[in-house]
Short mmCIF file of all heavy atoms in Angstrom, two decimals:
data_model
loop_
_atom_site.label_atom_id
_atom_site.label_comp_id
_atom_site.label_asym_id
_atom_site.label_seq_id
_atom_site.Cartn_x
_atom_site.Cartn_y
_atom_site.Cartn_z
N ALA A 1 83.58 93.21 101.17
CA ALA A 1 82.50 92.68 100.36
C ALA A 1 81.17 93.17 100.90
O ALA A 1 81.03 93.46 102.09
CB ALA A 1 82.53 91.15 100.34
N ILE A 2 80.20 93.24 100.01
CA ILE A 2 78.86 93.64 100.40
C ILE A 2 77.85 92.81 99.62
O ILE A 2 77.96 92.65 98.40
CB ILE A 2 78.64 95.16 100.19
CG1 ILE A 2 77.26 95.59 100.70
CG2 ILE A 2 78.85 95.55 98.73
CD1 ILE A 2 77.12 97.11 100.81
N THR A 3 76.88 92.26 100.32
CA THR A 3 75.88 91.40 99.69
C THR A 3 74.78 92.24 99.08
O THR A 3 74.70 93.46 99.26
CB THR A 3 75.28 90.42 100.69
OG1 THR A 3 74.46 91.14 101.63
CG2 THR A 3 76.36 89.67 101.45
N SER A 4 73.89 91.57 98.35
CA SER A 4 72.75 92.26 97.78
C SER A 4 71.85 92.85 98.85
O SER A 4 71.13 93.82 98.59
CB SER A 4 71.95 91.32 96.87
OG SER A 4 71.47 90.21 97.60
N GLY A 5 71.88 92.27 100.05
CA GLY A 5 71.09 92.78 101.15
C GLY A 5 71.78 93.84 101.98
O GLY A 5 71.18 94.36 102.93
N GLY A 6 73.03 94.15 101.65
CA GLY A 6 73.74 95.20 102.34
C GLY A 6 74.64 94.75 103.47
O GLY A 6 75.27 95.59 104.12
N SER A 7 74.73 93.45 103.72
CA SER A 7 75.66 92.96 104.73
C SER A 7 77.09 93.11 104.24
O SER A 7 77.38 92.87 103.07
CB SER A 7 75.37 91.51 105.07
OG SER A 7 74.08 91.36 105.63
N THR A 8 77.98 93.47 105.14
CA THR A 8 79.37 93.73 104.77
C THR A 8 80.32 92.87 105.57
O THR A 8 80.01 92.41 106.67
CB THR A 8 79.74 95.20 104.98
OG1 THR A 8 79.58 95.53 106.37
CG2 THR A 8 78.85 96.11 104.15
N ASN A 9 81.49 92.65 105.01
CA ASN A 9 82.58 92.05 105.75
C ASN A 9 83.89 92.64 105.23
O ASN A 9 83.99 93.04 104.07
CB ASN A 9 82.58 90.53 105.68
CG ASN A 9 82.95 89.99 104.31
OD1 ASN A 9 82.20 90.14 103.34
ND2 ASN A 9 84.11 89.35 104.22
N TYR A 10 84.88 92.67 106.12
CA TYR A 10 86.14 93.32 105.82
C TYR A 10 87.30 92.44 106.23
O TYR A 10 87.20 91.67 107.19
CB TYR A 10 86.26 94.64 106.58
CG TYR A 10 85.17 95.64 106.27
CD1 TYR A 10 84.03 95.72 107.05
CD2 TYR A 10 85.30 96.50 105.18
CE1 TYR A 10 83.03 96.64 106.75
CE2 TYR A 10 84.31 97.41 104.88
CZ TYR A 10 83.18 97.48 105.66
OH TYR A 10 82.20 98.39 105.37
N ALA A 11 88.39 92.58 105.52
CA ALA A 11 89.62 91.95 105.94
C ALA A 11 90.08 92.56 107.26
O ALA A 11 89.91 93.76 107.50
CB ALA A 11 90.70 92.12 104.88
N ASP A 12 90.66 91.73 108.11
CA ASP A 12 91.11 92.21 109.42
C ASP A 12 92.10 93.36 109.30
O ASP A 12 92.13 94.26 110.14
CB ASP A 12 91.74 91.08 110.22
CG ASP A 12 90.73 90.07 110.71
OD1 ASP A 12 89.53 90.39 110.75
OD2 ASP A 12 91.14 88.95 111.06
N SER A 13 92.91 93.34 108.26
CA SER A 13 93.94 94.34 108.11
C SER A 13 93.40 95.73 107.79
O SER A 13 94.12 96.72 107.93
CB SER A 13 94.93 93.92 107.02
OG SER A 13 94.27 93.78 105.77
N VAL A 14 92.14 95.82 107.37
CA VAL A 14 91.60 97.11 106.95
C VAL A 14 90.29 97.48 107.61
O VAL A 14 89.80 98.59 107.41
CB VAL A 14 91.40 97.15 105.42
CG1 VAL A 14 92.70 96.88 104.69
CG2 VAL A 14 90.32 96.17 104.99
N LYS A 15 89.71 96.60 108.40
CA LYS A 15 88.34 96.79 108.84
C LYS A 15 88.13 98.04 109.69
O LYS A 15 87.01 98.56 109.74
CB LYS A 15 87.84 95.55 109.60
CG LYS A 15 88.60 95.23 110.87
CD LYS A 15 88.04 93.96 111.49
CE LYS A 15 88.80 93.59 112.75
NZ LYS A 15 88.27 92.33 113.35
N ASP A 16 89.16 98.53 110.33
CA ASP A 16 89.04 99.74 111.13
C ASP A 16 89.16 101.00 110.30
O ASP A 16 88.92 102.11 110.79
CB ASP A 16 90.11 99.78 112.23
CG ASP A 16 89.91 98.70 113.28
OD1 ASP A 16 88.77 98.25 113.47
OD2 ASP A 16 90.91 98.32 113.92
N ARG A 17 89.50 100.85 109.03
CA ARG A 17 89.79 102.01 108.19
C ARG A 17 88.97 102.06 106.91
O ARG A 17 89.09 103.03 106.16
CB ARG A 17 91.28 102.02 107.80
CG ARG A 17 92.22 102.03 108.99
CD ARG A 17 93.68 102.04 108.54
NE ARG A 17 94.09 100.78 107.94
CZ ARG A 17 94.58 100.66 106.72
NH1 ARG A 17 94.72 101.73 105.94
NH2 ARG A 17 94.95 99.47 106.26
N VAL A 18 88.15 101.05 106.66
CA VAL A 18 87.51 100.89 105.37
C VAL A 18 85.99 100.84 105.51
O VAL A 18 85.46 100.29 106.48
CB VAL A 18 88.01 99.61 104.68
CG1 VAL A 18 87.09 99.19 103.55
CG2 VAL A 18 89.42 99.82 104.15
N THR A 19 85.32 101.42 104.53
CA THR A 19 83.87 101.30 104.41
C THR A 19 83.52 100.95 102.97
O THR A 19 83.95 101.63 102.04
CB THR A 19 83.16 102.60 104.80
OG1 THR A 19 83.47 102.94 106.16
CG2 THR A 19 81.65 102.43 104.68
N ILE A 20 82.76 99.89 102.80
CA ILE A 20 82.23 99.54 101.49
C ILE A 20 80.75 99.87 101.47
O ILE A 20 80.04 99.66 102.45
CB ILE A 20 82.48 98.06 101.15
CG1 ILE A 20 82.08 97.76 99.70
CG2 ILE A 20 81.77 97.13 102.11
CD1 ILE A 20 82.49 96.38 99.20
N SER A 21 80.29 100.38 100.35
CA SER A 21 78.89 100.74 100.22
C SER A 21 78.45 100.52 98.79
O SER A 21 79.29 100.36 97.88
CB SER A 21 78.63 102.19 100.65
OG SER A 21 79.38 103.08 99.85
N ARG A 22 77.14 100.50 98.57
CA ARG A 22 76.63 100.33 97.22
C ARG A 22 75.43 101.24 97.00
O ARG A 22 74.71 101.60 97.93
CB ARG A 22 76.26 98.87 96.96
CG ARG A 22 75.09 98.34 97.78
CD ARG A 22 74.96 96.82 97.64
NE ARG A 22 74.66 96.43 96.28
CZ ARG A 22 74.89 95.21 95.78
NH1 ARG A 22 75.44 94.28 96.54
NH2 ARG A 22 74.56 94.94 94.52
N ASP A 23 75.24 101.58 95.75
CA ASP A 23 74.10 102.38 95.33
C ASP A 23 73.46 101.63 94.17
O ASP A 23 73.93 101.71 93.04
CB ASP A 23 74.54 103.78 94.91
CG ASP A 23 73.37 104.70 94.61
OD1 ASP A 23 72.26 104.20 94.33
OD2 ASP A 23 73.56 105.92 94.66
N ASN A 24 72.41 100.90 94.46
CA ASN A 24 71.79 100.07 93.43
C ASN A 24 71.18 100.90 92.31
O ASN A 24 71.13 100.46 91.16
CB ASN A 24 70.73 99.16 94.05
CG ASN A 24 71.33 98.06 94.91
OD1 ASN A 24 72.50 97.71 94.75
ND2 ASN A 24 70.53 97.52 95.81
N ALA A 25 70.70 102.08 92.63
CA ALA A 25 70.13 102.94 91.61
C ALA A 25 71.17 103.36 90.58
O ALA A 25 70.84 103.59 89.42
CB ALA A 25 69.50 104.18 92.24
N LYS A 26 72.42 103.46 91.02
CA LYS A 26 73.51 103.82 90.12
C LYS A 26 74.33 102.63 89.66
O LYS A 26 75.29 102.81 88.91
CB LYS A 26 74.43 104.83 90.81
CG LYS A 26 73.78 106.15 91.15
CD LYS A 26 74.77 107.10 91.80
CE LYS A 26 74.13 108.43 92.11
NZ LYS A 26 75.08 109.36 92.77
N SER A 27 73.97 101.44 90.11
CA SER A 27 74.73 100.22 89.80
C SER A 27 76.20 100.42 90.12
O SER A 27 77.08 100.13 89.29
CB SER A 27 74.53 99.83 88.33
OG SER A 27 73.19 99.49 88.07
N ALA A 28 76.47 100.89 91.31
CA ALA A 28 77.83 101.23 91.69
C ALA A 28 78.15 100.73 93.09
O ALA A 28 77.27 100.63 93.96
CB ALA A 28 78.06 102.73 91.62
N VAL A 29 79.41 100.44 93.30
CA VAL A 29 79.91 100.07 94.61
C VAL A 29 81.13 100.93 94.90
O VAL A 29 81.89 101.29 93.99
CB VAL A 29 80.25 98.56 94.69
CG1 VAL A 29 81.37 98.20 93.72
CG2 VAL A 29 80.62 98.17 96.12
N TYR A 30 81.30 101.28 96.17
CA TYR A 30 82.35 102.21 96.56
C TYR A 30 83.20 101.62 97.68
O TYR A 30 82.73 100.82 98.48
CB TYR A 30 81.75 103.53 97.04
CG TYR A 30 80.78 104.13 96.07
CD1 TYR A 30 79.41 103.94 96.22
CD2 TYR A 30 81.22 104.89 94.98
CE1 TYR A 30 78.51 104.48 95.33
CE2 TYR A 30 80.33 105.43 94.08
CZ TYR A 30 78.97 105.22 94.26
OH TYR A 30 78.08 105.76 93.36
N LEU A 31 84.43 102.05 97.72
CA LEU A 31 85.33 101.68 98.80
C LEU A 31 86.00 102.95 99.30
O LEU A 31 86.73 103.61 98.56
CB LEU A 31 86.39 100.68 98.34
CG LEU A 31 87.34 100.17 99.43
CD1 LEU A 31 86.60 99.21 100.36
CD2 LEU A 31 88.56 99.50 98.82
N LEU A 32 85.76 103.27 100.56
CA LEU A 32 86.41 104.40 101.20
C LEU A 32 87.40 103.88 102.22
O LEU A 32 87.03 103.13 103.11
CB LEU A 32 85.38 105.30 101.89
CG LEU A 32 85.94 106.48 102.69
CD1 LEU A 32 86.66 107.46 101.77
CD2 LEU A 32 84.83 107.18 103.47
N MET A 33 88.64 104.27 102.06
CA MET A 33 89.68 103.86 102.99
C MET A 33 90.34 105.09 103.59
O MET A 33 90.86 105.94 102.87
CB MET A 33 90.73 102.98 102.31
CG MET A 33 91.84 102.53 103.25
SD MET A 33 93.04 101.40 102.48
CE MET A 33 92.06 99.88 102.47
N ASN A 34 90.27 105.17 104.90
CA ASN A 34 90.92 106.24 105.64
C ASN A 34 92.26 105.75 106.19
O ASN A 34 92.55 104.56 106.23
CB ASN A 34 90.03 106.71 106.78
CG ASN A 34 88.72 107.26 106.31
OD1 ASN A 34 88.67 108.04 105.35
ND2 ASN A 34 87.63 106.89 106.98
N SER A 35 93.06 106.70 106.63
CA SER A 35 94.35 106.39 107.25
C SER A 35 95.16 105.44 106.39
O SER A 35 95.65 104.41 106.86
CB SER A 35 94.12 105.80 108.65
OG SER A 35 93.41 106.69 109.48
N ARG A 36 95.31 105.79 105.16
CA ARG A 36 96.05 104.96 104.23
C ARG A 36 97.48 104.76 104.70
O ARG A 36 98.13 105.69 105.21
CB ARG A 36 96.05 105.59 102.84
CG ARG A 36 94.69 105.58 102.17
CD ARG A 36 94.48 104.28 101.44
NE ARG A 36 93.25 104.31 100.66
CZ ARG A 36 92.90 103.39 99.77
NH1 ARG A 36 93.71 102.36 99.54
NH2 ARG A 36 91.76 103.48 99.13
N LYS A 37 97.95 103.54 104.49
CA LYS A 37 99.30 103.16 104.86
C LYS A 37 100.07 102.72 103.62
O LYS A 37 99.46 102.28 102.65
CB LYS A 37 99.28 102.02 105.89
CG LYS A 37 98.51 102.34 107.16
CD LYS A 37 98.44 101.14 108.07
CE LYS A 37 97.67 101.44 109.34
NZ LYS A 37 97.58 100.26 110.23
N PRO A 38 101.40 102.81 103.66
CA PRO A 38 102.17 102.35 102.50
C PRO A 38 101.86 100.92 102.09
O PRO A 38 101.88 100.61 100.90
CB PRO A 38 103.62 102.50 102.97
CG PRO A 38 103.57 103.61 103.96
CD PRO A 38 102.26 103.44 104.67
N GLU A 39 101.55 100.07 103.05
CA GLU A 39 101.23 98.69 102.73
C GLU A 39 99.88 98.54 102.03
O GLU A 39 99.53 97.44 101.57
CB GLU A 39 101.27 97.80 103.97
CG GLU A 39 100.42 98.31 105.12
CD GLU A 39 101.22 99.10 106.14
OE1 GLU A 39 102.08 99.89 105.73
OE2 GLU A 39 100.98 98.91 107.35
N ASP A 40 99.11 99.61 101.93
CA ASP A 40 97.87 99.59 101.16
C ASP A 40 98.12 99.77 99.67
O ASP A 40 97.18 99.65 98.88
CB ASP A 40 96.92 100.69 101.64
CG ASP A 40 96.41 100.46 103.05
OD1 ASP A 40 96.17 99.29 103.42
OD2 ASP A 40 96.22 101.45 103.78
N THR A 41 99.34 100.06 99.30
CA THR A 41 99.67 100.20 97.89
C THR A 41 99.41 98.90 97.15
O THR A 41 99.95 97.85 97.52
CB THR A 41 101.13 100.62 97.72
OG1 THR A 41 101.34 101.91 98.30
CG2 THR A 41 101.53 100.66 96.26
N ALA A 42 98.59 98.96 96.12
CA ALA A 42 98.21 97.77 95.38
C ALA A 42 97.33 98.17 94.21
O ALA A 42 96.88 99.31 94.11
CB ALA A 42 97.45 96.78 96.28
N VAL A 43 97.09 97.21 93.34
CA VAL A 43 96.04 97.36 92.34
C VAL A 43 94.75 96.85 92.97
O VAL A 43 94.70 95.74 93.48
CB VAL A 43 96.36 96.58 91.06
CG1 VAL A 43 95.21 96.71 90.06
CG2 VAL A 43 97.65 97.09 90.44
#
């Protein structure tokens, strides 16, 4: 999750592999996950 002020928090299971970011000018939020594991399979 990322707040309007840019503060972030992550689930323990992914925090070492994930980055969330936002671009307010584009009204967009992004999730980058490295070192994907089979257990990351999900919607």
Side-chain angles (χ1 to χ4, degrees):
I2 184 167
T3 70
S4 60
S7 297
T8 60
N9 70 292
Y10 301 94
D12 288 341
S13 61
V14 302
K15 62 182 179 182
D16 293 334
R17 302 180 290 122
V18 163
T19 300
I20 187 171
S21 61
R22 66 190 296 159
D23 186 339
N24 289 339
K26 297 181 179 179
S27 296
V29 63
Y30 308 97
L31 183 73
L32 175 64
M33 180 176 284
N34 299 315
S35 301
R36 292 274 187 170
K37 303 176 180 179
E39 53 263 42
D40 293 324
T41 296
V43 177

